[in-house]
Amino acid sequence: MPSTYFTAPPQWHWLIILYFFVGGIAGGSYFLAVLFDLFGRITDRPLGRLGYLIAFPLVVLCGLLLTVDLGRPERFWHMLIQSGTWRPMLKAYSPMSVGAWGLLGFGFFSFLSFLGAIGDAERSRWPRLRVLRPPRMLGALVAIVGAFFALFISGYTGVLLAVTNRPIWSDTPLLGLTFLVSSASTSAALLTLLGWRRRWAATGLHALANFDRLVLVFEFIALIALIVSLGSIAQVWLNAWGALLVLGVMVAGILIPLALHSRARVLSGVAVPVAAVLILAGGFLLRVVIVLSSEAV
Amino acid sequence: MAEPMGFFTDTTVCIGCKACEVACKEWNQLPATNGGRNTLSGNSYDNTRRLDGIHWRHVKFIEQFTPDRAEGRWLLMSDVCKHCVRAGCLEVCPTGAIFRTEFDTVVIQSDVCNGCRDCIAGCPFGVIDMNPVSGTAQKCTLCYDRMRASLEPACAKACPTDSINFGTIRELRAMAEKRVGQLQAAGEKRAYLYGADEKMLGGLNSFFLLVDRPEVYGLPPDPQIPSRNLKPSSAWSLLAAVAVGFMGIVSFRNRGGRPHA
Amino acid sequence: MGTRLGRGAATFFYRNMEESDCVVVMGSNMAECHPVAFRWPMKARVNGAKLIHVDPRFTRTSAMCDLYAPIRAGSDIAFLGGLVNYVLNSQRWNTDSFFKEYVLNYTNAATIVNADFKDTEDLDGVFSGLVQYSEKIKEWPYNGFVGQYENKSWQYAGTEAESRGWTAATQRSGEQGVGDHDRGTGQKPTTSPGASPAPPQAVPHGPPFEPLVHSMLKPPPLQDRTLQNAGTVFQVVKRHFARYTPEMVEQTTGCPKETFLKVAETILANSGRDRTTSFAYAVAWTQHTNGPQVIGCCALLQLLLGNIGRPGGGIMALRGHASIQGSTDVPTLYHSIHGYMSHPTAQKKHDTLADWLSAETVARGYWANTPKFMVSYLKSMYGDAATVENDFGYAWHPKIIGDHSHLPMFVAMNDGRVKGMLCIGQNPATSLNASVERKGLRQLEWLVVKDNWLTETAAFWQTAPEVKSGQVKPADIKTEVFFFPSAQVAEYEGSFTNTFRMLQWHFKAADPPADCRSDLWFTHQLAKRLKKLYANSTAKRDEGFKNLTWDFDPDPAREGAGGRQAVTGEPESHKILREINGYYTGDPNRHLAAFADLKDDGSTTCASWIYCGVFPAPDKNLATNRTADPPGTRGAQLGWGYSWPANRRIMYNRASADPRGRPWSERKKWIWWDGRKWTGLDVPDFAATKPPTAAAKADGIGLDAQSGTDPFIMKTDGKAWLFVPTGLVDGPLPAHYEPMESPIKNPFYKQQSSPVLKYWKRDDNPVAALGDTRFPFVITTYRLTEHYLAGAMSRWNPWLTELQPEFFIELSPELAAEKGIRNLDWVKVSSPRAVVRGKALVTRRLRPFRINGQTVHQVGMPWHWGYQGLSTGDAGNELTALVGDPNVTIHEGKAFVCNVEKA
Ligand SMILES: Nc1nc2c(c(=O)[nH]1)N[C@H]1C(S)=C(S)[C@@H](COP(=O)(O)OP(=O)(O)OC[C@H]3O[C@@H](n4cnc5c(=O)[nH]c(N)nc54)[C@H](O)[C@@H]3O)O[C@H]1N2
Ligand SMILES: Nc1nc2c(c(=O)[nH]1)N[C@H]1C(S)=C(S)[C@@H](COP(=O)(O)OP(=O)(O)OC[C@H]3O[C@@H](n4cnc5c(=O)[nH]c(N)nc54)[C@H](O)[C@@H]3O)O[C@H]1N2
Ligand code: SF4
Ligand code: SF4
Ligand code: SF4
Ligand code: SF4
Ligand code: SF4
Ligand SMILES: [Mo]
């Protein structure tokens, strides 16, 4: 039997799964917002802003989820500061430690961008809010640094799982990759859903659709690679979990949406939102399967 | 740092009396499963089932009998934290609650741990689990408090047959080698040491004498530290980041329109 | 063991098992029940010794052994007899001079037995002298006899083996019955050696009692030192065991012949001049209708192998409760007074002190000193009131009228013959045939329970099954129950006597909580109140109580000594120890240093002669000794605690040297003659300066009657008895009998089970007849390391209950399959007495046996559970029967029949 079978499950359940999902979307939508900002058209702006506006509240939610999941929530800060010495607590080789700082950093930048976005959005109504809009260069800088944090947040959770001794998690190097890609697809899907049938979002949506198509293909390949990389261990998925992964995540969450996309023009208008919902559900299921199928061993 | 200390557990002289389990609970005042209203496991005489936050010692009972009883063994083994020289739990702990003591043992500080449970997944042996009372992860401390008072750990003291031997790693390894030789000479060719040398996680400061494959005792044949996955996993993620970024850029620009000034 | 070796206790100390070359654990699950003592066999094993376990189940002990021999419960004598036969016919035993030399000189092998003795060989399973029991004993109808032996024909040729009327254990046996109805028919009970002829008038009353003892000298028995005479014990033994062949062993015990032979070879190979084998047993040998015979058979084997009295050799009687040894030395036994002297009884000629002495004293061997022991004992009871004129108050001493042990007492209780009971440190409500025991409790007017927990006994009126089920209404129970919370050992000081007779003092660590009180306190206060109550009584029967000395009150100075004595009214434990150890009557501060100092004229006071010497001076309590031998050296640990007799650690250790006094071998040297005295690693269990060459004095009494080569000084002839002419009521030699309940027809003899076992015939105590198809399986009961006896001391403790949380039944997969039972299923186990429910633990550690070509399933059941405490479950003892052995009335809890069904 593989050595990972002799370890104990950490009992990471729904709160953590939810965090993985929400965190991914937070990071992803921030990242997309930045893309819109830096490479998009002027008309994409509102959609980008939407990304910033989503990211920050979701990060706050992430912090809450993680804290509540602790055995001793009142000690959440021990992740950042050594309770004994009051010195900062950081372990470069501990994904959870680095993750804690990453979340903090991302929280900070997403907050700035959040303010900026509000300023940008409402300047017509309350000119005063203009002050919130950072000078061009600074704004760009914040966005770029923030984007790196965003990518980190959407990917490190997979690395966190990998840096354990649990079956599946520690048996493949591809979890981080998969989670990151899935964050991109799910967040794109969310933005699409929110921007659906909105005039101001029209052009952006189009770009998102292209993006999503590429990412979904990438994600599909990633999942195949993931299963292959597990080798014999993949046997643990010869059960309901496996079925859920293939039918729920790969078919319903990727292939069907892809099909819908390609037919989007032909099919009735609902195709796009349906695809988006399926992608979101698929992204969530992916995390459910990865986390719980290992916990079950 | 004082000389590394630890355990040599000779499973061939363990009589399965569980005195070590009880001594540990008594010294560390650990609660009993469901207040003592436990259920029969049906798995030989093992009713505490596994190491966890309230069982820091656990005695395993492995019945090996051929259907005709021509061959028969009842393997008894008192399991405990291995106090790895390269400890997975310590590696991943984000709060620094887990530290290496002056005796080269691995201890969780209950007043620092915040119950994130990363160490549970990080331990290659499934040693750690939550203690429902403290709300923190717990495991054998190798009686750090007793050692500081230069007392022998409670479990070793209680062991009537010296299956649990406590001492400096140097002495223990010598003793263990001798015992293996003795058993080999006596015809027990299956006797070997598990975790006594650096090959396994830099050495287990609590190592064992076994007479069957590790799996039979519920021990991993090839335990690893979690950080082995850090680099590859991160690299692949980075790749993904670049790829996604690239896809983003291609699908957001060059759409014929000019980007805003 | 007493009857064969002289003292019924472990012959050596368990630390010494480290020196054994082979340890046979049989009749015990030593690793599980004596884990700390088991340390030493394990040390021996690490040093290369062979460990053997003979048990119906593969246990944690078996797991540690080189050899495991499975046998059906209740077949030990077949196995041991097989070993005896193997040894006697082995080439090695017949060629190695050591064995002959040991057996010839140190046992009664050469002694010639009465010509009219008939063996089980001749009478198909019974010995000569069997008398079917006829209800003769009127005053106490609870002895439970089914038959009895008249043992005249078992005697040595030409002379009656002198006997102490057999240590009073046998007072309950049929023998006295014989004596009685002889008396009934007017003739003097000379036929029964139990009461040897009353002292001729010529002999004056003592003190001194020496003339009386002299008058009892009988001619010494005839011998044939060539062992050729067909009448010699040796030849009798050889013939007796001839049919115990390996084939018969396999057919009876179910142990494969090859395994048995491996065991036999290993034991023989590890016995001799240079190697020793030891046996360890506990209650799996005693809890049978022929328990003492099983143990005797082991003694016989060990004697043939020369393994008694030598380092690493011997028989380790593993005792149970902490200090249970002490409670038989300073007895809570009903049939003995201190130091294994017979309790005065109405069933023998014990009318006067002289009568008692002539019945209980022997002229040869150490027991010739009995008058000194007895008189000193009476002085300890009645102090100054005990004078020469009034026979030292002998007349005041209570007498027993029959078997007052556990089983008969509860039968009497059921018949309403018992008014009240003080239950101190016992939990009978889940004891044998439990529902009958509880029925007995319901007949009491009052019951005092003094315990640390509200046991099943304390709550029998409230939570017992029959009460829960509504069959019995608490309102209808008239018994008034008083509960006294007890202190724990750490809350008072006193001494423990461990399994190898070693006294160790324990000190008080803390005060008992609330109004918990020690048993000392309780007994002391009760005695004082009773003495007050009887103070002005004029009734003759109360004189004993009035004259009883009871001065254990602490001196004002000591009261509250150490400042820890918050509890007032505790007696002074050192005063009690002093009374047990003994002192010069004139001056209580002059303690006796050794039992050699005892006098028969009242000038010495000593409650228990065997403990004399533990407290030689007011400031010298040897039980507190704590000096261990330096590590790595061979020794007897003489500086640790105090072992009776006289701090000897290996008894009969004269046998560790050859007849000429030289060690049998360098490796096994222990005690030897240095030309002037006996010296060595231990206290010699022999006259210190009696040379090996000393001859027995023809008209000498006591040790003078024994030669320098007679190691077994408690026996009249100074030799260990292979053949037991007197002292056992169920035969001079062990013979295999089936348990009272068995699915097997006795493969050895026509006689199915012991013809003289004890059985209390009652509607609520039925037994299954041979071949009763309703109960086809053999069942045995036992302990788990994780629990303690009736459970009060473990089932209340969560740290222990989580280890063994539920009552379970152990089954082999074969039986489980036959009955469609899966692991953890609930099963019903039924015996003719009751049905219990438990979970099935299906394991290959149990196995079906092939007996006479038929398959016999063995079921196992730990008996610890009950209806009180944290972990509750049915009590195994609901199933057991009121059946006992005739020598000591121990129940047959280890082998009976049952059925198992899916519940
Ligand atoms: N943990 C623990 N230790 C104890 C006790 C306890 O309750 N718990 N009780 C103490 C007391 S009071 C006593 S008396 C001792 C008893 O000590 P033991 O006599 O060793 O204990 P048991 O478990 O009664 O029986 C021992 C073994 O006898 C086997 N057996 C049953 N029938 C037979 C038979 O016919 N022949 C043979 N050869 N074996 C048989 C059983 O399978 C069992 O494994 O233990 C003492 N120590
Ligand atoms: N079927 C079957 N029946 C058996 C046996 C068997 O093997 N099989 N074994 C038999 C044997 S060997 C034995 S010894 C008996 C034991 O049977 P019991 O003696 O009836 O059972 P215990 O549980 O030992 O009861 C001792 C009680 O003393 C209490 N106690 C402890 N310390 C103290 C103290 O300091 N003072 C007082 N006053 N009380 C105290 C404990 O709480 C406990 O309730 O069972 C016998 N019954
Ligand atoms: S065994 Fe597990 S818990 Fe113990 S030190 Fe090693 S990794 Fe940590
Ligand atoms: S649970 Fe406690 S000890 Fe374990 S990793 Fe988290 S903080 Fe460290
Ligand atoms: S060393 Fe101490 S903490 Fe560790 S198992 Fe032994 S008793 Fe328990
Ligand atoms: S105390 Fe020693 S013998 Fe008993 S179970 Fe523990 S390790 Fe084994
Ligand atoms: S319970 Fe007490 S007597 Fe029994 S083995 Fe343990 S220490 Fe010895
Ligand atoms: Mo006992």
Side-chain angles (χ1 to χ4, degrees):
Chain A
M1 250 199 287
S3 287
T4 51
Y5 280 46
F6 299 92
T7 62
Q11 294 136 40
W12 287 334
H13 297 147
W14 296 105
L15 289 172
I16 296 298
I17 292 167
L18 207 59
Y19 161 66
F20 285 0
F21 182 63
V22 174
I25 290 181
S29 42
Y30 188 96
F31 178 69
L32 289 175
V34 174
L35 285 180
F36 277 122
D37 248 3
L38 301 184
F39 306 103
R41 297 175 180 170
I42 196 90
T43 48
D44 300 339
R45 271 280 199 64
L47 205 52
R49 247 188 268 118
L50 187 59
Y52 292 128
L53 291 177
I54 298 171
F56 179 65
L58 290 189
V59 178
V60 175
L61 177 59
C62 288
L64 287 177
L65 288 171
L66 287 177
T67 305
V68 174
D69 183 67
L70 292 174
R72 299 293 294 268
E74 81 280 13
R75 297 184 182 170
F76 72 95
W77 56 273
H78 288 198
M79 296 261 190
L80 302 165
I81 296 166
Q82 295 176 22
S83 53
T85 62
W86 301 103
R87 293 215 207 79
M89 176 67 222
L90 174 62
K91 272 189 191 173
Y93 50 86
S94 163
M96 190 179 281
S97 177
V98 177
W101 285 100
L103 207 55
L104 188 71
F106 183 53
F108 175 71
F109 286 99
S110 57
F111 178 61
L112 292 184
S113 310
F114 179 76
L115 292 184
I118 291 181
D120 196 9
E122 310 298 337
R123 68 179 184 283
S124 42
R125 235 174 301 163
W126 298 290
R128 271 229 205 65
L129 284 175
R130 273 168 153 280
V131 296
L132 289 175
R133 268 196 73 211
R136 187 100 195 71
M137 283 319 295
L138 182 59
L141 191 68
V142 167
I144 290 166
V145 181
F148 280 106
F149 276 102
L151 283 170
F152 173 85
I153 289 303
S154 38
Y156 97 94
T157 49
V159 180
L160 172 75
L161 292 184
V163 181
T164 65
N165 268 305
R166 290 298 295 161
I168 302 170
W169 301 351
S170 63
D171 293 323
T172 170
L174 298 182
L175 277 186
L177 177 146
T178 316
F179 277 13
L180 191 140
V181 179
S182 147
S183 318
S185 64
T186 46
S187 43
L190 183 65
L191 287 182
T192 313
L193 210 53
L194 294 174
W196 180 243
R197 289 252 165 91
R198 299 259 159 58
R199 257 186 302 91
W200 49 264
T203 56
L205 283 187
H206 191 262
L208 278 179
N210 298 336
F211 177 73
D212 226 2
R213 229 175 279 117
L214 289 171
V215 173
L216 284 175
V217 173
F218 187 11
E219 187 174 358
F220 191 81
I221 299 164
L223 281 171
I224 301 289
L226 175 70
I227 296 171
V228 173
S229 70
L230 283 174
S232 63
I233 312 252
Q235 287 163 350
V236 286
W237 276 341
L238 295 176
N239 55 20
W241 293 120
L244 207 56
L245 185 69
V246 174
L247 301 178
V249 180
M250 297 176 78
V251 175
I254 299 177
L255 295 181
I256 297 181
L258 271 176
L260 290 172
H261 267 294
S262 48
R263 298 262 183 295
R265 262 170 248 78
V266 191
L267 288 170
S268 68
V270 292
V272 175
V274 170
V277 170
L278 284 175
I279 294 169
L280 282 167
F284 184 72
L285 270 187
L286 168 68
R287 288 153 176 85
V288 172
V289 172
I290 295 293
V291 173
L292 294 188
S293 65
S294 170
E295 283 279 343
V297 174
Chain B
M1 187 168 102
E3 226 194 318
M5 307 284 276
F7 285 136
F8 159 48
T9 304
D10 178 355
T11 62
T12 62
V13 298
C14 173
I15 58 174
C17 69
K18 304 181 189 173
C20 47
E21 243 184 274
V22 177
C24 177
K25 293 206 142 195
E26 194 170 7
W27 178 258
N28 296 295
Q29 288 297 303
L30 299 173
T33 308
N34 187 25
R37 291 193 166 72
N38 193 5
T39 56
L40 199 69
S41 76
N43 171 22
S44 196
Y45 279 0
D46 174 4
N47 291 303
T48 42
R49 294 162 167 93
R50 53 179 287 257
L51 288 170
D52 61 29
I54 58 174
H55 300 96
W56 300 356
R57 266 264 172 209
H58 171 243
V59 184
K60 294 177 172 173
F61 295 78
I62 303 126
E63 298 185 10
Q64 294 180 325
F65 291 87
T66 53
D68 65 350
R69 317 295 202 284
E71 289 293 312
R73 285 201 299 184
W74 197 4
L75 301 178
L76 309 171
M77 177 223 184
S78 179
D79 198 5
V80 68
C81 167
K82 317 298 180 290
H83 295 277
C84 318
V85 168
R86 289 165 63 216
C89 62
L90 189 155
E91 213 171 43
V92 297
C93 175
T95 65
I98 307 186
F99 76 112
R100 183 168 301 282
T101 71
E102 61 270 41
F103 307 105
D104 201 19
T105 58
V106 180
V107 172
I108 302 178
Q109 308 168 74
S110 274
D111 57 336
V112 177
C113 168
N114 66 10
C116 74
R117 311 195 292 289
D118 203 359
C119 53
I120 300 174
C123 169
F125 303 94
V127 163
I128 310 183
D129 211 334
M130 294 294 282
N131 177 330
V133 177
S134 66
T136 64
Q138 291 196 336
K139 70 166 189 81
C140 162
T141 67
L142 221 140
C143 279
Y144 187 49
D145 48 356
R146 287 175 65 96
M147 274 171 82
R148 302 240 304 205
S150 51
L151 289 172
E152 181 181 15
C155 54
K157 187 139 189 74
C159 177
T161 60
D162 297 341
S163 172
I164 303 175
N165 298 281
F166 168 76
T168 68
I169 297 302
R170 213 160 12 84
E171 296 162 356
L172 291 176
R173 284 183 182 169
M175 178 193 297
E177 294 300 343
K178 201 160 141 289
R179 176 65 177 148
V180 172
Q182 191 183 31
L183 284 166
Q184 296 277 1
E188 181 45 275
K189 295 278 172 250
R190 292 163 295 192
Y192 71 100
L193 298 179
Y194 179 85
D197 56 17
E198 288 68 17
K199 282 193 224 71
M200 189 176 285
L201 300 173
L204 308 184
N205 281 350
S206 162
F207 60 96
F208 300 80
L209 189 161
L210 308 177
V211 291
D212 206 331
R213 291 176 298 108
E215 295 91 322
V216 172
Y217 295 89
L219 294 169
D222 174 30
Q224 301 283 338
I225 43 168
S227 60
R228 71 184 180 282
N229 291 332
L230 185 55
K231 283 203 180 67
S233 197
S234 314
W236 285 103
S237 314
L238 206 63
L239 187 103
V242 174
V244 169
F246 176 76
M247 290 181 225
I249 295 170
V250 292
S251 41
F252 281 69
R253 66 179 312 161
N254 318 331
R255 281 180 282 145
R258 64 165 188 72
H260 56 82
Chain C
M1 269 198 295
T3 52
R4 278 189 163 75
L5 307 178
R7 306 183 186 102
T11 68
F12 68 136
F13 58 112
Y14 51 58
R15 196 189 173 104
N16 192 245
M17 292 174 109
E18 192 177 8
E19 292 194 25
S20 301
D21 302 291
C22 172
V23 177
V24 185
V25 179
M26 183 171 177
S28 170
N29 185 5
M30 191 173 179
E32 297 195 37
C33 296
H34 310 84
V36 173
F38 195 67
R39 171 186 181 85
W40 303 109
M42 288 306 287
K43 288 246 174 288
R45 179 169 183 237
V46 172
N47 302 339
K50 290 263 171 286
L51 264 59
I52 299 172
H53 191 215
V54 185
D55 199 293
R57 306 176 305 132
F58 191 101
T59 73
R60 282 176 264 199
T61 306
S62 325
M64 292 299 110
C65 290
D66 305 82
L67 271 172
Y68 163 67
I71 65 166
R72 165 179 60 107
S75 63
D76 292 75
I77 289 183
F79 195 92
L80 291 165
L83 291 174
V84 171
N85 184 47
Y86 174 90
V87 166
L88 288 177
N89 296 305
S90 69
Q91 199 248 355
R92 168 130 189 274
W93 193 87
N94 288 287
T95 50
D96 187 327
S97 63
F98 163 78
F99 298 110
K100 273 275 164 27
E101 207 176 345
Y102 184 103
V103 170
L104 184 61
N105 292 291
Y106 298 161
T107 76
N108 66 349
T111 312
I112 295 173
V113 178
N114 211 332
D116 48 21
F117 166 71
K118 294 263 172 302
D119 185 43
T120 47
E121 294 304 296
D122 317 313
L123 305 177
D124 206 351
V126 302
F127 297 95
S128 48
L130 181 64
V131 189
Q132 277 315 316
Y133 178 65
S134 53
E135 307 260 336
K136 273 291 180 295
I137 302 164
K138 284 283 151 286
E139 59 276 60
W140 191 252
Y142 297 108
N143 288 26
F145 308 132
V146 300
Q148 56 198 281
Y149 277 111
E150 210 289 18
N151 71 0
K152 191 171 192 314
S153 62
W154 308 351
Q155 302 305 312
Y156 290 150
T159 177
E160 263 173 11
E162 300 178 46
S163 96
R164 302 172 43 229
W166 323 269
T167 49
T170 57
Q171 285 184 2
R172 293 166 282 166
S173 75
E175 282 168 298
Q176 286 65 38
V178 178
D180 273 23
H181 64 80
D182 289 349
R183 202 182 295 157
T185 62
Q187 79 193 88
K188 274 176 63 259
T190 45
T191 49
S192 158
S196 40
Q201 304 317 44
V203 181
H205 259 218
F209 289 97
E210 203 142 315
L212 172 76
V213 178
H214 252 290
S215 72
M216 299 195 293
L217 269 175
K218 302 201 187 81
L222 308 173
Q223 291 198 341
D224 167 21
R225 293 183 56 89
T226 68
L227 303 184
Q228 294 318 308
N229 183 321
T232 54
V233 162
F234 180 72
Q235 295 296 341
V236 171
V237 167
K238 203 165 171 183
R239 282 197 303 275
H240 176 82
F241 285 103
R243 72 162 71 194
Y244 287 72
T245 60
E247 293 69 24
M248 281 301 282
V249 171
E250 173 163 1
Q251 276 183 37
T252 310
T253 66
C255 173
K257 186 174 153 192
E258 305 67 40
T259 313
F260 165 76
L261 287 172
K262 255 207 225 85
V263 171
E265 286 154 15
T266 312
I267 293 174
L268 182 56
N270 288 289
S271 305
R273 209 173 275 283
D274 204 33
R275 305 182 78 72
T276 50
T277 291
S278 61
F279 273 75
Y281 78 90
V283 297
W285 270 1
T286 60
Q287 290 167 6
H288 293 290
T289 42
N290 58 353
Q293 292 289 357
V294 183
I295 298 154
C297 197
C298 176
L300 196 159
L301 173 68
Q302 283 291 66
L303 285 166
L304 291 174
L305 291 168
N307 281 328
I308 301 286
R310 305 180 55 208
I315 301 175
M316 179 53 61
L318 294 161
R319 305 302 304 266
H321 278 119
S323 208
I324 194 78
Q325 179 67 47
S327 74
T328 53
D329 299 339
V330 180
T332 50
L333 302 172
Y334 79 91
H335 63 278
S336 301
I337 51 181
H338 299 313
Y340 301 95
M341 292 188 286
S342 303
H343 196 294
T345 170
Q347 295 185 335
K348 286 201 216 165
K349 194 161 186 331
H350 275 180
D351 310 349
T352 67
L353 177 59
D355 291 337
W356 186 91
L357 288 174
S358 35
E360 305 301 330
T361 312
V362 290
R364 294 194 176 82
Y366 205 80
W367 281 113
N369 297 303
T370 304
K372 301 170 184 167
F373 309 156
M374 184 58 170
V375 171
S376 300
Y377 162 73
L378 288 171
K379 287 297 287 183
S380 79
M381 291 289 287
Y382 305 117
D384 299 340
T387 62
V388 180
E389 293 65 39
N390 63 13
D391 254 6
F392 299 102
Y394 176 84
W396 300 329
H397 198 286
K399 292 194 175 57
I400 57 172
I401 57 175
D403 187 342
H404 305 295
S405 63
H406 186 98
L407 303 182
M409 287 313 288
F410 272 84
V411 177
M413 220 180 272
N414 270 276
D415 293 358
R417 294 267 297 249
V418 182
K419 253 179 163 1
M421 171 159 94
L422 293 164
C423 185
I424 302 177
Q426 213 197 9
N427 191 3
T430 56
S431 199
L432 300 125
N433 197 343
S435 63
V436 176
E437 305 241 346
R438 292 193 297 270
K439 205 189 293 172
L441 295 174
R442 295 202 294 272
Q443 308 303 320
L444 294 170
E445 280 175 29
W446 53 268
L447 167 67
V448 171
V449 177
K450 184 171 183 302
D451 206 291
N452 311 113
W453 288 271
L454 271 178
T455 60
E456 282 77 6
T457 304
F460 80 93
W461 54 273
Q462 189 183 26
T463 48
E466 59 274 11
V467 175
K468 282 246 186 71
S469 70
Q471 285 159 276
V472 175
K473 310 234 167 330
D476 306 341
I477 302 176
K478 297 279 165 289
T479 319
E480 188 176 0
V481 183
F482 306 86
F483 183 78
F484 287 76
S486 181
Q488 304 268 15
V489 292
E491 294 160 349
Y492 51 86
E493 65 178 353
S495 80
F496 273 121
T497 308
N498 78 358
T499 211
F500 59 83
R501 320 171 316 277
M502 180 166 73
L503 285 83
Q504 293 178 97
W505 197 259
H506 66 83
F507 298 90
K508 177 179 173 178
D511 283 318
D515 47 12
C516 295
R517 292 290 178 272
S518 74
D519 300 331
L520 271 182
W521 184 95
F522 182 85
T523 318
H524 183 58
Q525 296 300 330
L526 183 63
K528 284 170 71 171
R529 284 162 173 74
L530 288 176
K531 273 186 76 69
K532 211 182 263 118
L533 187 66
Y534 291 126
N536 331 332
S537 157
T538 53
K540 196 154 178 9
R541 64 163 188 278
D542 296 337
E543 280 176 19
F545 230 103
K546 286 165 68 178
N547 290 311
L548 182 70
T549 59
W550 196 276
D551 43 20
F552 301 129
D553 281 320
D555 311 330
R558 267 271 317 178
E559 171 87 60
R564 269 209 256 87
Q565 210 84 6
V567 183
T568 55
E570 277 280 343
E572 170 53 75
S573 51
H574 289 87
K575 287 191 174 179
I576 298 170
L577 188 67
R578 177 179 66 194
E579 174 160 327
I580 292 170
N581 174 86
Y583 52 88
Y584 289 95
T585 311
D587 174 4
N589 288 325
R590 272 185 67 213
H591 295 194
L592 294 166
F595 42 70
D597 302 343
L598 292 173
K599 300 271 173 298
D600 63 6
D601 58 6
S603 60
T604 58
T605 298
C606 172
S608 182
W609 72 275
I610 56 175
Y611 278 26
C612 189
V614 63
F615 199 18
D619 58 353
K620 215 153 145 232
N621 175 359
L622 299 183
T624 62
N625 282 1
R626 291 294 182 274
T627 7
D629 289 352
T633 58
R634 277 187 79 214
Q637 306 287 333
L638 293 173
W640 194 284
Y642 178 89
S643 227
W644 72 264
N647 206 25
R648 296 160 192 161
R649 303 302 167 110
I650 297 184
M651 295 199 293
Y652 326 114
N653 54 29
R654 162 67 180 89
S656 68
D658 68 13
R660 293 164 58 186
R662 304 163 306 187
W664 287 107
S665 75
E666 190 52 31
R667 185 161 171 263
K668 294 289 174 180
K669 72 198 291 201
W670 192 252
I671 290 291
W672 56 91
W673 176 254
D674 70 1
R676 270 171 291 93
K677 58 177 188 336
W678 292 96
T679 62
L681 306 174
D682 198 350
V683 179
D685 186 8
F686 202 65
T689 58
K690 181 192 235 174
T693 51
K697 296 206 188 68
D699 63 341
I701 61 166
L703 295 188
D704 293 348
Q706 300 179 347
S707 78
T709 57
D710 292 334
F712 296 86
I713 59 174
M714 304 311 287
K715 305 302 293 180
T716 53
D717 48 9
K719 307 206 177 301
W721 289 358
L722 301 174
F723 175 94
V724 181
T726 177
L728 289 168
V729 302
D730 52 353
L733 288 171
H736 170 74
Y737 295 120
E738 287 295 322
M740 176 152 197
E741 280 187 330
S742 167
I744 308 297
K745 190 175 167 321
N746 188 344
F748 279 86
Y749 315 106
K750 188 158 115 288
Q751 179 64 35
Q752 171 71 4
S753 50
S754 169
V756 293
L757 55 71
K758 291 195 170 196
Y759 169 54
W760 286 267
K761 202 166 185 335
R762 308 167 46 90
D763 303 347
D764 50 18
N765 189 40
V767 290
L770 171 61
D772 185 331
T773 52
R774 294 169 304 156
F775 307 104
F777 311 132
V778 177
I779 182 169
T780 189
T781 62
Y782 45 84
R783 294 154 173 73
L784 302 165
T785 310
E786 297 84 345
H787 282 297
Y788 202 75
L789 298 160
M793 296 172 77
S794 56
R795 284 187 293 102
W796 268 253
N797 179 337
W799 283 333
L800 296 176
T801 53
E802 78 168 340
L803 298 177
Q804 287 292 3
E806 296 181 273
F807 175 50
F808 62 90
I809 320 289
E810 291 185 307
L811 305 170
S812 69
E814 291 84 353
L815 174 56
E818 205 174 297
K819 291 289 188 171
I821 296 166
R822 277 169 292 107
N823 197 24
L824 289 181
D825 279 353
W826 281 96
V827 292
K828 287 208 304 295
V829 185
S830 51
S831 83
R833 274 76 56 191
V835 182
V836 296
R837 275 176 93 260
K839 282 187 181 171
L841 188 62
V842 178
T843 167
R844 284 195 178 143
R845 292 183 295 101
L846 270 81
R847 69 199 67 199
F849 292 102
R850 294 295 296 173
I851 312 282
N852 276 340
Q854 109 195 52
T855 299
V856 177
H857 287 291
Q858 172 81 56
V859 178
M861 175 176 73
W863 64 279
H864 297 295
W865 274 267
Y867 43 84
Q868 289 284 96
L870 189 57
S871 161
T872 58
D874 288 1
N877 270 327
E878 306 286 343
L879 298 181
T880 48
L882 304 178
V883 177
D885 88 274
N887 284 297
V888 286
T889 324
I890 300 280
H891 61 88
E892 192 156 55
K894 281 286 180 279
F896 52 104
V897 295
C898 75
N899 189 20
V900 182
E901 233 103 45
K902 205 162 181 294

